[in-house]
Amino acid sequence: MKKTIYLLLLSSFITAVSCSKGKEVTPATTKPDTNTPTPTDNNTGFSSADADLAYTAFNNAFYDSNNKLYFSTTKKDGVAAIWTQAVYWDMAMNVYERTKAPAQLTRISDIYQGNYNHYDGYNWNNTTVWFIYDDMMWWVIALARANQLTGNATYLDKAKVGFERVWNGSYDSVDGGMFWDFQHSGKNSCINFPTVIAAMKLYSITKDASYLDKAKSIYTWSKTNLVDASGKVNDNKIGNNPAGGQDYTYNSGTAIGAAMALYKQTNDVAYLNDAKLYTDYVKNNLCTNGILPAEGDFNEQGVLKAIFAQYIVQLINDGGQSQYLSWIQTNVNTGWKNRDARNLTYRNYAVSTPTGDIQSYEASSIVTFMQLIPPTK
């Protein structure tokens, strides 16, 4: 019994740390962007103008235009966690892909530079800036994507060096899989599936077959060790113990993304079927009345659905699985309808956005969805 309790506590600790990490310091505050779009009537959905509005409101509330970083809360008294900055950079890229606005291309460059300045030039060997492997891998994914989008070779160079650093420190050459932390205490979904995504992005850019081999190896290990037959993506596996931990949308999201990346390169329908299985689990088991779980009680878990958004849309678009679109649009319509007077949205889509201080994490996912899915009006 003591051993069981110990293992449960250890699992909870690892899961909590992996999903609630980062350091906050205080940059200068800035004036909001006054070029605010006018909202449309949203009783029945959202428009392209609303997607613009949501992103402008998010930046007004959280973006530090002096330091080119995002704040953690509307108080603007601390920097958002290092890994979530990469998620917000992805959001900026989504906006550029949707609008093709030159100013948004500038913002992509600015966010890179702001984080470069703040995080020691993406020095992957700085163990004060980087203290767990998955923080690095979120950035490797974003850097590789930025190269695909802009052609900037510096982004690719940073991504390749970062991937090598994580692989050399995290990969278990004996038993397979990736450790999430420097102490090798467990192998979490938050490092394993993102490693597949990063490797496949680098493969698609460089055509270096070693990235494809690594992606296939980690995906096979992850599916075998972290996923149930039902499609449930467990949070972690510690030693020889069964996989466990709380269900999180971002783990399902990156599992979908990993499967889709392999499917697009190999045309092996087994990967597509995996992605559908992971999605069906979320829809059938994590939702209440079809609405995705709130996730995050004033902690970094509020950002998880922004990651899920990134990859479920790939299944819908690249996988041709339009049967999931109305479900996602219902979630977005619900969250957007419940925005506050600041046009900020909330992690719990089914309730009104709180009027007080809220986090960038919990305000991010509806904005992300709105850049990725077709407007409903």
Side-chain angles (χ1 to χ4, degrees), residues 162-225:
F163 186 91
E164 182 179 14
R165 165 72 175 92
V166 176
W167 184 269
N168 290 340
S170 171
Y171 177 61
D172 184 347
S173 60
V174 176
D175 297 320
M178 309 286 289
F179 291 103
W180 77 279
D181 64 338
F182 292 174
Q183 293 73 38
H184 289 190
S185 62
K187 299 174 182 177
N188 286 34
S189 289
C190 66
I191 180 62
N192 280 279
F193 289 112
T195 293
V196 177
I197 294 169
M200 291 306 296
K201 283 190 178 296
L202 290 171
Y203 173 69
S204 68
I205 297 167
T206 67
K207 303 306 178 185
D208 181 343
S210 68
Y211 289 121
L212 179 60
D213 291 341
K214 288 172 180 176
K216 288 181 175 180
S217 170
I218 298 303
Y219 184 82
T220 298
W221 184 92
S222 301
K223 181 181 175 182
T224 301
N225 290 278

Side-chain angles (χ1 to χ4, degrees), residues 210-275:
S210 68
Y211 289 121
L212 179 60
D213 291 341
K214 288 172 180 176
K216 288 181 175 180
S217 170
I218 298 303
Y219 184 82
T220 298
W221 184 92
S222 301
K223 181 181 175 182
T224 301
N225 290 278
L226 291 168
V227 179
D228 294 349
S230 65
K232 174 182 177 180
V233 180
N234 291 286
D235 185 72
N236 58 68
K237 180 172 174 58
I238 303 170
N240 293 322
N241 298 292
Q246 187 172 339
D247 291 350
Y248 291 114
T249 56
Y250 81 145
N251 288 333
S252 295
T254 55
I256 293 165
M260 283 305 303
L262 286 163
Y263 171 67
K264 286 190 291 184
Q265 284 290 341
T266 66
N267 291 315
D268 185 342
V269 73
Y271 291 123
L272 178 61
N273 289 336
D274 286 348

Side-chain angles (χ1 to χ4, degrees), residues 119 152 194 296 298 304 338 342:
Y119 296 120
N152 187 324
F298 219 75
L304 303 187
N338 282 321
R342 299 167 292 185

Side-chain angles (χ1 to χ4, degrees), residues 115-127:
N115 282 275
Y116 179 97
N117 296 340
H118 194 70
Y119 296 120
D120 191 25
Y122 304 99
N123 175 6
W124 306 111
N125 293 313
N126 184 330
T127 54

